[in-house]
Amino acid sequence: MEEWNQRSRRVTSGPERSPNRAMLRAIGFEDQDFTKPIIGIANGYSTITPCNMSLGALALEAERMVRSSGAMPQTFGTITVSDGISMGTVGMRYSLVSREVIADSIETVAQAAAVDGVMAIGGCDKNMPGAMIALARLNIPAIFVYGGTIKPGHYKGQDLTIVSSFEAVGAHAAGTMTDEELYEVERHSCPGAGSCGGMYTANTMSSVIEAMGMSLPYSSTMAAEDSEKLQNAGESAEVLVDAVKRGLKPRDIMTKAAFENAMAIVMALGGSTNAVLHLLAIAHAADVPLTIEEFEDMRAKVPVLCDLKPSGRFVATDLHRVGGVPLVMKMLLSHGLLQGDCVTINGHTVEENLKEVPDHPSADQEVVRPWSHPVHETGHLAILKGNLAEEGAVAKITGIKSSAITGPARVFDSEEKAMAAILNRQIQPGDVIVIRYEGPKGAPGMPEMLSPTSALIGLGLGDRVGLITDGRFSGGTYGMVVGHVAPEAFVGGTIALVKEGDSITIDAEARLLQLNLSDAEIAARRAVWAPPEPRATRGVLAKYAKLVSSSSLGAVTD
């Protein structure tokens, strides 16, 4: 008892700490509570987005179970930004910034309050990596609780997600969808609480956290509105209090092997391109060496096993129904592509957690393919390099008919200008769209490009037009698209030097992103290039732009 209370005793014990105890009494501490460990509960509840609107109930249940487990809870809030609502607007520049704000806020409160353990509860995309960065920095016993996925909407016999609504805009612009059909898709896409339902960024990152062992088995694909999610919050509280007793810390769990397991699960699930950015940032916080090239190494070894949206047919609740992330992990483990000796937050190893899980999917479902018949023989996230991306770029290469295109550049210095050209039917098959000055420093904030990519899909151009950007893509994006181009335009990357009509090659199989000009011509253009004036000069965006690193390093700020 003495050892696992040392941290809280520094604040609450001894006559000289009486003022501290007085304030703790005001929030419900009694005499016997001052020797109990303090558990901080970082609650991302808000009504800004359906992803987070159910988190308050989870925090209350966790608080109840912390008390019943012999510890004292202290709940505090952290922020969220709704990617889906801010998409295509200036507000999207704040999305990746919110990852850092979430990390900083959890670190700040946990350190200031000297808590003994931390539970982070989150829903929307940046909640997960933001919390994980904080937990890695703090390195005190910690667990993550995912708010849960949204259930699919339904219209005309089809499962709908938020991406359905974005793609409907493109179909409407193409004249293949009526006004009424567009409104019906909008009305039915998001039926209630929970994070976006496909294997988009939120569900990808929740799955990553489960695979790494920082959340409980099966928790990453539960539906937000189902009762098992509330039960999961309570069980997580009990496990966390036990981890405090045992002194099990995040960096004991978040090892290099755990990150390799996370990369493997991203490939097997067909997860979001954002996983590359976020895993690099979390590894940086945990002092684990991880490079962008290692994702390409993993891609070559791990097949895509799950037929999930955006490029597939099913949603996260379907995956949960047939066995969830543990089923996919067991398949990887059985084929030597997962490291089973990694410890997890419940004190068991990965292999121990998966002991009773079958090593092959049931034959009466189509969500998870058998090993002998994967969706794709190798992973879907390719790391491209070339004179347009000397530090690397990330392409999602599933769900497309061709993995290579060479065509004339259509150059836009903002997402808004590109979107206008797409909807006005100014883009032709064979074009390669370039959207630049949307990187971490240039935007600033590296916004996602779901609106233009979805519009291209809706217009029927998804397989016939390339798109490259120094910004990001939504987890809901698919098609011939390449993001995270680094170095970004704002710092003088070659993407800044592209002119309208220049020939560009995207070749996913060769892992090549190339501006088809001579070195001499590129050097001549670079000699006369000058950076634009920054878009933000004060406030959080300006601070972020000054601190943020390249996307090839995870766009970290410390």
Side-chain angles (χ1 to χ4, degrees):
M1 191 64 133
E2 290 294 327
E3 291 180 0
W4 62 296
N5 280 334
Q6 280 183 353
R7 191 173 167 84
S8 61
R9 282 180 181 278
R10 288 200 297 272
V11 172
T12 62
S13 294
E16 72 282 1
R17 307 306 292 179
S18 182
N20 307 75
R21 295 202 304 271
M23 294 195 73
L24 290 171
R25 288 183 190 280
I27 62 169
F29 277 64
E30 298 181 358
D31 289 347
Q32 67 274 17
D33 297 325
F34 290 110
T35 57
K36 297 176 182 177
I38 296 175
I39 303 297
I41 300 174
N43 180 11
Y45 165 77
S46 79
T47 56
I48 286 175
T49 172
C51 309
N52 290 48
M53 61 189 279
S54 62
L55 303 189
L58 303 185
L60 289 173
E61 177 63 11
E63 192 175 274
R64 185 182 72 82
M65 289 305 298
V66 164
R67 280 198 174 91
S68 68
S69 299
M72 291 300 291
Q74 288 186 317
T75 301
F76 60 94
T78 188
I79 68 156
T80 196
V81 168
S82 174
D83 289 12
I85 296 172
S86 64
M87 197 74 67
T89 74
V90 173
M92 189 64 213
R93 294 178 184 170
Y94 290 85
S95 170
L96 188 58
V97 176
S98 76
R99 184 188 77 179
E100 310 309 304
V101 177
I102 291 165
D104 291 349
S105 67
I106 294 173
E107 176 194 352
T108 298
V109 176
Q111 290 285 43
V115 297
D116 298 285
V118 181
M119 173 186 287
I121 306 176
C124 203
D125 292 8
K126 306 311 171 295
N127 296 181
M128 274 76 72
M132 290 290 282
I133 289 168
L135 303 186
R137 286 182 194 163
L138 289 164
N139 200 34
I140 58 175
I143 195 168
F144 183 80
V145 175
Y146 182 41
T149 185
I150 196 171
K151 293 181 178 180
H154 302 283
Y155 177 60
K156 289 189 173 181
Q158 298 292 316
D159 283 350
L160 300 181
T161 69
I162 182 60
V163 176
S164 307
S165 187
F166 280 90
E167 291 179 359
V169 172
H172 182 264
T176 58
M177 180 176 285
T178 66
D179 290 355
E180 184 57 28
E181 287 173 324
L182 174 62
Y183 292 138
E184 287 301 313
V185 170
E186 174 200 310
R187 291 179 183 120
H188 292 91
S189 290
C190 298
S195 299
C196 299
M199 193 45 64
Y200 310 145
T201 301
N203 286 326
T204 298
M205 293 311 299
S206 68
S207 300
V208 158
I209 295 170
E210 180 179 329
M212 292 183 75
M214 286 295 292
S215 63
L216 296 184
Y218 297 99
S219 63
S220 64
T221 51
M222 292 175 177
E225 296 182 328
D226 285 353
S227 60
E228 64 177 346
K229 178 44 67 179
L230 198 66
Q231 181 180 350
N232 168 245
E235 291 175 353
S236 296
E238 293 178 299
V239 167
L240 175 56
V241 173
D242 186 60
V244 173
K245 293 178 182 179
R246 291 182 289 111
L248 180 61
K249 299 177 182 178
R251 295 194 194 184
D252 300 328
I253 299 168
M254 296 162 64
T255 62
K256 183 61 180 285
F259 279 95
E260 290 169 351
N261 286 350
M263 288 190 288
I265 204 71
V266 170
M267 297 298 176
L269 293 173
S272 167
T273 53
N274 284 310
V276 177
L277 191 78
H278 297 324
L279 280 169
L280 288 170
I282 297 165
H284 173 78
D287 282 334
V288 171
L290 187 68
T291 67
I292 195 171
E293 289 80 11
E294 291 177 72
F295 288 87
E296 182 59 36
D297 296 339
M298 190 62 70
R299 183 186 79 86
K301 296 186 288 187
V302 179
V304 179
L305 297 171
C306 301
D307 188 11
L308 297 168
K309 290 179 182 289
S311 56
R313 293 178 293 162
F314 299 101
V315 295
T317 51
D318 295 317
L319 175 60
H320 190 66
R321 171 176 50 82
V322 302
V325 168
L327 171 61
V328 183
M329 290 178 68
K330 185 62 173 286
M331 294 173 70
L332 293 172
L333 179 67
S334 298
H335 289 83
L337 292 171
L338 205 73
Q339 297 175 66
D341 58 351
C342 294
V343 69
T344 70
I345 186 60
N346 63 15
H348 300 300
T349 65
V350 166
E351 188 168 12
E352 288 168 344
N353 284 336
L354 300 176
K355 184 178 180 180
E356 303 300 324
V357 178
D359 59 8
H360 58 275
S362 171
D364 62 357
Q365 56 81 47
E366 298 179 335
V367 184
V368 181
R369 296 278 190 89
W371 195 267
S372 60
H373 185 53
V375 179
H376 298 280
E377 294 288 341
T378 56
H380 64 303
L381 297 182
I383 305 302
L384 276 54
K385 289 194 173 184
N387 65 6
L388 258 175
E390 294 169 339
E391 295 177 10
V394 184
K396 185 186 282 188
I397 60 174
T398 53
I400 55 176
K401 295 176 182 177
S402 173
S403 59
I405 186 172
T406 295
R410 303 299 311 279
V411 182
F412 304 94
D413 286 350
S414 72
E415 177 189 6
E416 294 81 4
K417 292 177 181 178
M419 186 66 177
I422 292 167
L423 292 179
N424 289 330
R425 312 296 292 274
Q426 295 170 5
I427 303 299
Q428 304 301 317
D431 286 347
V432 178
I433 300 168
V434 178
I435 305 178
R436 63 190 181 191
Y437 296 106
E438 296 286 12
K441 289 183 178 293
M446 204 181 179
E448 293 179 349
M449 306 287 156
L450 180 59
S451 295
T453 57
S454 295
L456 289 171
I457 296 293
L459 286 164
L461 294 173
D463 291 313
R464 297 186 289 166
V465 168
L467 190 155
I468 71 171
T469 180
D470 51 7
R472 297 182 296 125
F473 291 118
S474 162
T477 292
Y478 64 103
M480 181 64 72
V481 296
V482 184
H484 306 202
V485 172
E488 63 174 291
F490 191 80
V491 300
T494 305
I495 191 173
L497 311 178
V498 180
K499 293 182 179 179
E500 186 82 5
D502 284 346
S503 174
I504 289 177
T505 295
I506 304 171
D507 190 331
E509 292 302 320
R511 272 93 64 199
L512 179 67
L513 186 59
Q514 186 81 17
L515 176 61
N516 297 313
L517 295 176
S518 68
D519 291 345
E521 174 61 21
I522 292 173
R525 292 186 185 183
R526 179 165 281 113
V528 298
W529 175 83
E533 290 296 317
R535 288 172 173 159
T537 57
R538 299 186 70 180
V540 68
L541 291 182
K543 286 187 253 185
Y544 181 85
K546 289 177 182 177
L547 294 172
V548 70
S549 72
S550 170
S551 60
S552 65
L553 301 175
V556 298
T557 55
D558 63 344

